[in-house]
């Protein structure tokens, strides 16, 4: 079901203009759902890692969705709400799992860094490029 939610949201984002009320509303609703279901952020990270090098429009929508969800999480943390910490922790755990599985290639890292920076958060050290990437 969560995968359906992500797929539907990505399709909705791809079908609407790059800016405007409709897109903001889709991202707002999706981000609020991620705050209620932090496991969704783990699935977003996994989908970005598995989609790197795939359909660009879908990948861009996944990155925008992750960035929006991380923004909402950051705002929740700033408002002293535990839901924000849960989302950020789930995202960091998903990154550690992706790294352990060898799924954090250079393209995945670039897309994930973009999402983190778009949210106003510093990209986690696990996304840093080094000689082993």
């Amino acid at each position: 079901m969560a995968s359906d939610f992500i797929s539907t949201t990505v399709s909705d984002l791809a079908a609407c203009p790059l800016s405007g009320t409709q897109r903001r509303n889709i991202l707002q609703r999706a981000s609020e759902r991620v705050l209620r279901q932090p496991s969704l952020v783990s699935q977003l990270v996994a989908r970005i890692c598995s989609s790197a090098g795939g359909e660009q429009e879908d990948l861009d929508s996944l990155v925008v969705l992750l960035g929006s969800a991380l923004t909402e999480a950051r705002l929740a943390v700033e408002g002293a709400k535990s839901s924000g910490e849960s989302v950020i922790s789930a995202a960091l755990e998903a990154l550690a799992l992706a790294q352990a599985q060898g799924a954090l290639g250079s393209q995945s890292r670039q897309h994930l860094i973009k999402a983190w920076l778009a949210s106003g958060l510093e990209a986690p050290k696990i996304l840093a490029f080094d000689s082993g990437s």
Side-chain angles (χ1 to χ4, degrees):
M1 277 190 261
S3 183
D4 292 341
F5 163 73
I6 293 171
S7 296
T8 299
T9 303
V10 166
S11 295
D12 290 347
L13 287 171
C16 70
L18 291 178
S19 62
T21 304
Q22 180 184 8
R23 187 175 185 84
R24 280 192 303 275
N25 289 341
I26 291 167
L27 289 170
Q28 183 65 39
R29 283 193 309 272
S31 297
E32 288 170 358
R33 180 159 175 191
V34 172
L35 282 178
R36 291 189 309 272
Q37 289 180 266
S39 64
L40 289 171
V41 78
S42 303
Q43 292 177 35
L44 278 169
V45 169
R47 293 271 300 265
I48 290 169
C49 289
S50 68
S51 296
E55 182 65 38
Q56 190 63 41
E57 188 171 290
D58 288 350
L59 186 54
D60 289 345
S61 293
L62 287 166
V63 171
V64 167
L65 180 55
L66 178 59
S68 179
L70 289 171
T71 298
E72 286 299 315
R74 178 184 55 79
L75 293 171
V77 167
E78 290 170 1
K81 296 179 184 169
S82 63
S83 58
E85 282 294 337
S86 297
V87 169
I88 293 170
S89 292
L92 293 173
E93 289 170 13
L95 290 176
L97 178 61
Q99 184 178 41
Q101 294 173 338
L104 275 182
S106 61
Q107 287 185 333
S108 298
R109 288 175 194 267
Q110 288 175 333
H111 294 298
L112 291 163
I113 288 168
K114 183 178 177 180
W116 249 270
L117 295 179
S119 73
L121 293 169
E122 184 177 330
K125 291 183 196 280
I126 195 169
L127 293 177
F129 288 91
D130 60 31
S131 59
S133 302

